[in-house]
Amino acid sequence: MPQSVPTFDELLDSAVTSAVHLEMRDAYGVASEAEDFARWHEIGQRDTDPGSAYWAPWTALVRRTVARGVSVRRARIVSEPVSDYIRYEHAGTVVNLGAGEDVRWLARRRASDLALPGNDFWLIDGTVVRWNHFTGAGASGGGEISTDPAVAKLCADAFEAVWARGTPHDEYKID
């Protein structure tokens, strides 16, 4: 019987020490970002108001997670030159940072010799993996949970390898 997949609120609210997220796609097409991405693409301006309807649920979740002493880190592996979507993500990362996340970027060519899992994931406290599945077009394909210690170790090792090579957001420049 498949394990139920907790919401992101439940997942981060369950964290005691750490929540890490590895993103490996150059484009996402999730419905909740469609309007903001289209606006950015049209006028070049990104919603960076942490209190906006778009950002408020996420910033509140991260703030309360960090307030409990949980480290929240996000690493992104990206192809260079970057895609329009990555430019969009980069423009909004100031909000992630302001909420308490730490974010690093790694050029895909610098990840070639790293053992990476096949999907994006969240790893909570080094023990619970939430796989993020996506369709070919980047839409959410649902999530999946694993508590297999070998899978958690694969994800922890992959994340830390990417993190060690990654460039902090404030230093990662997009041309």
Side-chain angles (χ1 to χ4, degrees):
M1 176 182 224
Q3 250 180 314
S4 66
V5 178
T7 66
F8 285 109
D9 283 275
E10 292 167 336
L11 192 67
L12 268 67
D13 283 343
S14 75
V16 175
T17 59
S18 65
V20 301
H21 183 35
L22 183 61
E23 298 177 11
M24 298 182 285
R25 295 179 56 95
D26 286 320
Y28 295 85
V30 293
S32 62
E33 294 178 335
E35 186 178 320
D36 192 51
F37 180 66
R39 179 178 178 262
W40 173 84
H41 203 263
E42 183 180 321
I43 65 173
Q45 289 182 324
R46 177 81 200 263
D47 174 3
T48 56
D49 174 3
S52 71
Y54 175 81
W55 281 109
W58 184 253
T59 58
L61 174 58
V62 172
R63 284 180 179 141
R64 75 175 178 255
T65 302
V66 171
R68 293 193 326 273
V70 176
S71 169
V72 180
R73 296 182 295 159
R74 179 186 303 256
R76 294 175 170 145
I77 298 173
V78 297
S79 299
E80 292 177 330
V82 300
S83 67
D84 279 351
Y85 183 86
I86 295 302
R87 289 179 188 283
Y88 162 79
E89 268 194 335
H90 191 269
T93 299
V94 64
V95 181
N96 298 88
L97 297 172
E101 289 187 55
D102 196 0
V103 180
R104 291 190 182 178
W105 303 80
L106 180 64
R108 190 172 310 282
R109 68 178 51 253
R110 295 191 56 223
S112 296
D113 62 340
L114 299 180
L116 300 170
N119 292 289
D120 290 11
F121 64 85
W122 278 92
L123 177 62
I124 305 301
D125 295 330
T127 61
V128 177
V129 177
R130 187 209 194 269
W131 298 112
N132 295 334
H133 299 296
F134 294 94
T135 67
S140 177
E144 182 181 358
I145 293 291
S146 175
T147 55
D148 180 324
V151 171
K153 182 176 180 350
L154 167 70
C155 292
D157 290 349
F159 183 87
E160 293 305 332
V162 170
W163 191 259
R165 289 188 189 177
T167 302
H169 175 74
D170 292 341
E171 297 172 23
Y172 186 73
K173 305 303 178 205
I174 293 182
D175 297 327

